[in-house]
Amino acid sequence: GILGATTRRETSDADALWSIERAAVLALDEAMATLSDLRLLLRSHLNMAEVRWLQGHRSLALAHFCECRDLFFGLLTYPDGRFALSDGPISFARSALATLNRMTRFVLALDTATITGNLAIFDAVLHLEADINSLLQTGPAPGSGAEGGRKIWALLHCMRSMGRQAQARRITREEAHRRNHGALRKIWRIRASTHAFRDLPGRTGSSEAPGVAGAGGG
């Protein structure tokens, strides 16, 4: 009957969500294991935010969203919204734009006060879209890259290399994690050294580098 059909549908939806949750947790655990792929780490936190939101765990969802947002803004953008690697590979810029767009969609599901407090995300989307359009039309100007951006890109490249070495078992995953965590702190210092820091909602206001919260289901 109708009741039986409804129950079966709810059970099926719950099973599907459980499968999605399991995959999201595994992806976050993998991203956290070596910290070698910043883009994967950002996407994994957003995946967990969306899963927890669908499960009704609003505070956990917001925690994962804030970790993604703070990592992105603390490492990849300047306080005025400019992307720190706008003259880097366009594929990286497009990936960053996709992450920003996912963040905006998540924010729009929240209350008005939270949306207002996260307007920097919408500004960053506009800045990065303009950067990508400029790159597509004219390409990067010779010597246009900021020194900070070049240093950040070099560190991100080294982080990926650490991940490959761990995968090949030349170093342990723990050692790769330790080195890459140090690289993240260097990136944060480079980003913060020449630009004033602007707090976002959910920050403690401390001057410490992004914490890269513990892995797991949250």
Side-chain angles (χ1 to χ4, degrees):
I2 295 177
L3 182 59
T6 301
T7 302
R8 286 193 298 272
R9 183 166 60 251
E10 290 175 349
T11 301
S12 178
D13 290 344
D15 289 343
L17 190 55
W18 180 86
S19 297
I20 295 170
E21 176 194 10
R22 185 167 179 270
V25 169
L26 289 173
L28 181 57
D29 285 345
E30 181 64 26
M32 289 294 301
T34 62
L35 299 177
S36 61
D37 190 336
L38 181 57
R39 288 179 293 182
L40 175 61
L41 182 59
L42 294 171
R43 289 196 299 268
S44 296
H45 274 299
L46 276 178
N47 290 341
M48 288 302 302
E50 292 165 354
V51 168
R52 294 302 184 222
W53 183 267
L54 290 173
Q55 292 174 328
H57 303 312
R58 303 301 169 87
S59 60
L60 293 176
L62 195 58
H64 281 290
F65 164 76
C66 287
E67 183 71 3
C68 175
R69 180 203 63 190
D70 292 352
L71 284 169
F72 192 101
F73 278 84
L75 299 170
L76 297 180
T77 71
Y78 297 124
D80 60 4
R82 290 183 299 114
F83 187 52
L85 299 170
S86 58
D87 64 331
I90 196 166
S91 60
F92 192 94
R94 282 173 166 162
S95 176
L97 181 60
T99 298
L100 282 172
N101 282 328
R102 283 186 67 186
M103 280 195 275
T104 61
R105 289 194 293 270
F106 185 87
V107 166
L108 289 173
L110 305 177
D111 59 273
T112 302
T114 304
I115 293 172
T116 301
N118 283 279
L119 292 180
I121 298 174
F122 298 86
D123 291 340
V125 169
L126 296 177
H127 280 291
L128 189 49
E129 285 179 340
D131 286 341
I132 291 174
N133 288 334
S134 178
L135 281 171
L136 288 173
Q137 292 174 11
T138 62
S144 65
E147 182 65 20
R150 286 193 290 269
K151 290 179 179 178
I152 291 172
W153 181 250
L155 284 166
L156 289 174
H157 182 74
C158 288
M159 289 169 63
R160 294 295 296 273
S161 177
M162 287 296 104
R164 288 192 291 269
Q165 289 188 51
Q167 190 173 25
R169 302 194 177 187
R170 297 191 185 98
I171 61 174
T172 65
R173 289 160 72 90
E174 291 76 15
E175 177 65 13
H177 183 281
R178 185 187 67 79
R179 294 185 187 183
N180 285 339
H181 194 275
L184 287 177
R185 289 183 175 275
K186 289 180 182 179
I187 291 172
W188 186 89
R189 288 195 293 269
I190 291 169
R191 180 264 183 196
S193 63
T194 56
H195 294 81
F197 200 85
R198 179 175 65 185
D199 281 346
L200 290 168
R203 283 196 180 277
T204 63
S206 80
S207 59
E208 293 181 355
V212 188

